Amino acid sequence: MIKRYQPKTVYYNELLRSCRAELLLLGYAKATALLSGAGEFLQRMEEGGKLTLDQVEREDIEQHLVYLQTRPSRTGGALSGYTIQGYVFSLRLLFDYAERHGLRGGSPLAGVRLPPPPKSERYVATRAEVDALYLTAKDDTRLTALLHLLYGCGLRRMEAERLNVADVDHRSALLYVRRGKGRKRRVIPLSERVAEGLKYYQKRERWRWVNDLSGKAYLLNDRGRRMLGGTISKRLAELVREAKVSKQITPHGLRHAVATHLLERGMELERVRYFLGHAHLETTQLYTRVKTEEL
């Protein structure tokens, strides 16, 4: 359960409420849109007597960064580098929102020396491990379809959750992401294997779970409703255990894996960027520094 920090003043409460609502409309994940890091920062500004955002100065940000590096976590240890980076990102989203809506001129984050991002420890599945997942799921067409979406199409978990039946064009072998991160749209060409697997699931197997509550959802859970992100992660974790893969592989890990494998096969970085739906090439370049372990 993610702790939701909430200031007491009406001004800051309304600021967070409206910013959260806009981030959700832009396609940010619910956990990101909670703005927990920004909420904690605004609470501290209240305690210091700064009750409007235009009173916040660069020194306040710098002092808050020092505070984060000394504040204990809920488990008693220091906050991890990833947590601090997430809190800084939360502040950036808040001040970007403030600038877009004319609530202040310029961001107090400008010029602040931010802590360096922690070295990536994310494990990228090898091709052999991905093959083991597919082999284990071969008799479960829904689970195979899930692998096709996360690995074969490189979808984010929320994109797989939001996918509708009409978003998969079997005639043209294309998949449409109507609302990705930042409300960005993209079109993903399907390989022959992925196209056949998705078509088989949709035309031959999806009916097994369809009921009056199914609507347009592409992936359905056992009760016939849209399969949500938590269930997607749970099903993948169960598959990883069943396949006896020793590493922890998440939905986002499969997205990293297909990007890494495409780059290893010689696909141009710009094409991989478009495939993943990254706004900036620099984000895609991070994948060139992630290595897989050979079995």
Side-chain angles (χ1 to χ4, degrees):
M1 183 74 177
I2 298 174
K3 183 176 181 180
R4 180 168 173 165
Y5 291 93
Q6 195 69 36
K8 297 178 181 179
T9 62
V10 174
Y11 172 84
Y12 281 147
N13 270 315
E14 178 60 24
L15 174 66
L16 285 175
R17 186 200 64 78
S18 55
C19 184
R20 285 166 176 154
E22 183 171 292
L23 291 175
L24 289 173
L25 286 174
L26 290 172
Y28 283 89
K30 292 180 181 179
T32 303
L34 279 178
L35 295 174
S36 293
E40 182 177 11
F41 174 75
L42 295 180
Q43 280 187 346
R44 298 190 70 239
M45 291 300 98
E46 280 183 341
E47 294 168 0
K50 296 194 173 185
L51 304 181
T52 58
L53 205 62
D54 58 358
Q55 295 178 309
V56 177
E57 300 174 319
R58 172 178 167 178
E59 290 76 13
D60 296 312
I61 300 291
E62 292 174 338
Q63 291 173 12
H64 187 65
L65 290 178
V66 173
Y67 160 78
L68 289 178
Q69 294 176 57
T70 58
R71 175 173 83 74
S73 67
R74 283 176 292 175
T75 58
L79 294 177
S80 70
Y82 287 105
T83 299
I84 293 176
Q85 285 291 313
Y87 282 8
V88 171
F89 183 60
S90 178
L91 287 174
R92 191 181 300 281
L93 290 174
L94 178 69
F95 286 109
D96 284 350
Y97 171 85
E99 288 192 76
R100 284 197 301 274
H101 294 275
L103 301 179
R104 61 168 294 138
S107 170
L109 282 164
V112 174
R113 293 188 63 182
L114 301 175
K119 293 182 179 180
S120 175
E121 296 178 355
R122 181 181 286 115
Y123 177 72
V124 177
T126 65
R127 296 180 198 176
E129 288 170 334
V130 173
D131 288 342
L133 295 180
Y134 271 105
L135 181 62
T136 304
K138 65 182 178 62
D139 295 326
D140 187 328
T141 55
R142 182 175 55 174
L143 199 52
T144 299
L146 178 59
L147 285 176
H148 285 324
L149 296 177
L150 298 176
Y151 178 79
C153 299
L155 297 190
R156 299 178 176 92
R157 190 180 72 169
M158 69 174 183
E159 292 170 346
E161 174 184 320
R162 292 173 178 170
L163 193 71
N164 290 326
V165 170
D167 296 336
V168 184
D169 184 347
H170 298 292
R171 183 183 297 272
S172 302
L174 297 173
L175 183 146
Y176 295 87
V177 177
R178 312 285 185 184
R179 188 165 66 114
K181 188 175 182 180
R183 300 192 77 177
K184 292 181 175 64
R185 300 163 60 95
R186 69 185 187 277
V187 182
I188 300 172
L190 304 178
S191 68
E192 183 177 353
R193 178 191 185 189
V194 171
E196 289 179 355
L198 294 180
K199 184 176 182 179
Y200 189 86
Y201 160 75
Q202 183 176 328
K203 302 295 186 181
R204 302 285 186 89
E205 298 293 330
R206 180 178 173 274
W207 65 268
R208 298 178 184 276
W209 301 280
V210 171
N211 58 37
D212 294 338
L213 301 174
S214 300
K216 302 175 182 178
Y218 188 84
L219 281 178
L220 300 177
N221 62 23
D222 291 340
R223 292 179 293 176
R225 301 187 180 188
R226 185 180 296 273
M227 187 180 292
L228 301 181
T231 304
I232 289 173
S233 294
K234 181 180 178 182
R235 294 298 305 275
L236 178 60
E238 292 170 349
L239 176 63
V240 169
R241 288 194 294 270
E242 188 177 349
K244 294 181 172 53
V245 174
S246 60
K247 302 294 183 178
Q248 182 181 14
I249 300 175
T250 64
H252 201 73
L254 286 180
R255 179 173 156 85
H256 267 255
V258 68
T260 302
H261 299 165
L262 289 174
L263 289 168
E264 289 174 348
R265 291 169 182 162
M267 180 179 283
E268 298 89 343
L269 194 63
E270 179 61 32
R271 288 184 61 193
V272 176
R273 182 192 74 82
Y274 183 78
F275 176 78
L276 295 175
H278 284 158
H280 304 289
L281 192 62
E282 289 82 359
T283 306
T284 315
Q285 286 175 327
L286 294 174
Y287 291 77
T288 67
R289 297 195 289 272
V290 180
K291 302 297 183 183
T292 56
E293 295 179 8
E294 295 301 329
L295 294 179

